[in-house]
Amino acid sequence: MRLMTLTLFLAISATAIASEYTFESWSNSGNRCVLQFSSVPDVNWDGKSKLPLSIEDVREIFNDWTKRALASNEQAHVTGYDLSSVVADGIAQNYWVFKIRYTVFSNNEPSETFNRKVAIDLSGRVIEAKCGI
């Protein structure tokens, strides 16, 4: 029974790891950070038609997300929006995302992790950076 439980746990863990598709990685204070899809995106852009999200939509999604993600004494200041075609490990097709670079101030002072980034896929889902993995 114990062996079967361990086998099941390992299979579930391997499936969970395999379902994350990294499209950007960097080093931050000695930690590896990544942006990754948790599943294959269901909305993409052909590069010709109208984008599924406008920059105004992206700003609103980001602002709503910061209200939930940051501490009450923190403020985010966007330093750049980039529309990027990304290639994720394990996915054959490129997908478009908005990458957002921002700085964070805590009580009007630069926070310990001052420079940050997130991505927003074209369905409006915020993709947070995972660090220390």
Side-chain angles (χ1 to χ4, degrees), residues 7-55:
T7 304
L8 181 60
F9 174 76
L10 290 174
I12 291 170
S13 296
T15 302
I17 291 169
S19 68
E20 295 185 341
Y21 307 101
T22 300
F23 59 87
E24 185 172 335
S25 65
W26 67 96
S27 180
N28 185 12
S29 301
N31 289 319
R32 181 173 180 258
C33 298
V34 297
L35 287 173
Q36 58 191 191
F37 297 119
S38 58
S39 60
V40 177
D42 54 357
V43 178
N44 206 2
W45 182 50
D46 61 11
K48 298 174 187 168
S49 61
K50 183 177 176 186
L51 271 166
L53 289 177
S54 69
I55 192 66

Side-chain angles (χ1 to χ4, degrees), residues 5-121:
T5 303
L6 179 60
T7 304
L8 181 60
F9 174 76
L10 290 174
I12 291 170
S13 296
T15 302
I17 291 169
S19 68
E20 295 185 341
Y21 307 101
T22 300
F23 59 87
E24 185 172 335
S25 65
W26 67 96
S27 180
N28 185 12
S29 301
N31 289 319
R32 181 173 180 258
C33 298
V34 297
L35 287 173
Q36 58 191 191
F37 297 119
S38 58
S39 60
V40 177
D42 54 357
V43 178
N44 206 2
W45 182 50
D46 61 11
K48 298 174 187 168
S49 61
K50 183 177 176 186
L51 271 166
L53 289 177
S54 69
I55 192 66
E56 291 80 19
D57 295 331
V58 171
R59 284 185 186 129
E60 186 176 319
I61 292 165
F62 177 77
N63 289 335
D64 289 346
W65 172 79
T66 61
K67 291 173 188 170
R68 295 185 309 275
L70 298 180
S72 62
N73 64 330
E74 293 181 316
Q75 305 85 36
H77 301 277
V78 173
T79 59
Y81 293 97
D82 297 315
L83 176 61
S84 301
S85 177
V86 298
V87 178
D89 297 340
I91 302 177
Q93 179 179 350
N94 292 16
Y95 283 89
W96 290 89
V97 297
F98 283 93
K99 293 180 186 177
I100 303 170
R101 295 178 317 280
Y102 64 104
T103 57
V104 175
F105 289 83
S106 178
N107 294 320
N108 296 322
E109 297 286 330
S111 74
E112 231 175 87
T113 53
F114 180 68
N115 292 305
R116 302 182 192 181
K117 63 176 108 177
V118 297
I120 296 177
D121 72 12

